[in-house]
Amino acid sequence: MKYYGIIPKRKLWVKMGAIIFSVYTAYSSILNNNLLYLPFGIVLIIATFSNRKHIISDQGIDIVYIIFGMQFHNLWSWNEVDTIHIDSINSKPSIELHIGKNIVARRIVLLKSDADKIISSVEKINSKIYISEINKK
């Protein structure tokens, strides 16, 4: 079992705006001898070229960050997960899963068919996970 979350693509004008702003911030910090803002500009440039993936598998929930071809994993195993809240209203026709560990939650948008398969397999993997539907009116 390996399912990928739906992540919206960044628009080109947003990327260009972030690059222009970050270059201006770095240039301004060097010009004004205020080097406190230089790391902010550099990190913003790097973040503009980053990408991420939401992966739900038998191992758990993994967010993979890809920065300049290097991959960084942030994995929550199914033993660490406490709750799963299903939101079928907010992202119609897709389904949102709010997966909680302690007081932190991850929001992952999936196709309805994938979400149903995930919920049924998670119940088999760890029966202690509290699963409920979010009803918003």
Side-chain angles (χ1 to χ4, degrees), residues 94-114:
S94 301
I95 302 288
E96 286 183 17
L97 293 182
H98 300 266
I99 301 169
K101 171 184 165 185
N102 297 331
I103 59 170
V104 180
R106 291 181 172 171
R107 178 185 154 268
I108 299 177
V109 180
L110 298 157
L111 297 173
K112 180 162 178 39
S113 60
D114 291 345

Side-chain angles (χ1 to χ4, degrees), residues 3-130:
Y3 300 99
Y4 292 90
I6 301 169
I7 299 177
K9 298 287 182 191
R10 291 185 192 137
K11 294 184 175 147
L12 182 61
W13 68 271
V14 173
K15 283 186 177 182
M16 294 303 295
I19 291 171
I20 290 169
F21 177 71
S22 58
V23 168
Y24 171 75
T25 302
Y27 175 74
S28 175
S29 69
I30 292 171
L31 191 65
N32 295 326
N33 256 351
N34 189 358
L35 299 180
L36 183 66
Y37 292 105
L38 182 63
F40 173 72
I42 293 171
V43 167
L44 192 58
I45 290 172
I46 292 171
T48 305
F49 295 106
S50 68
N51 199 358
R52 69 185 161 136
K53 295 179 191 175
H54 294 162
I55 302 172
I56 298 178
S57 66
D58 291 331
Q59 297 173 348
I61 299 95
D62 191 13
I63 297 180
V64 180
Y65 298 97
I66 304 168
I67 301 172
F68 295 126
M70 295 173 32
Q71 293 186 356
F72 301 96
H73 294 269
N74 188 348
L75 178 68
W76 287 359
S77 68
W78 290 117
N79 295 331
E80 299 172 326
V81 173
D82 299 326
T83 61
I84 296 178
H85 298 288
I86 305 162
D87 186 358
S88 57
I89 297 173
N90 243 2
S91 296
K92 278 190 178 177
S94 301
I95 302 288
E96 286 183 17
L97 293 182
H98 300 266
I99 301 169
K101 171 184 165 185
N102 297 331
I103 59 170
V104 180
R106 291 181 172 171
R107 178 185 154 268
I108 299 177
V109 180
L110 298 157
L111 297 173
K112 180 162 178 39
S113 60
D114 291 345
D116 294 337
K117 292 175 188 173
I118 289 169
I119 295 299
S120 65
S121 63
V122 165
E123 289 173 339
K124 295 174 188 170
I125 293 172
N126 187 354
S127 61
K128 295 179 183 177
I129 296 176
Y130 175 73

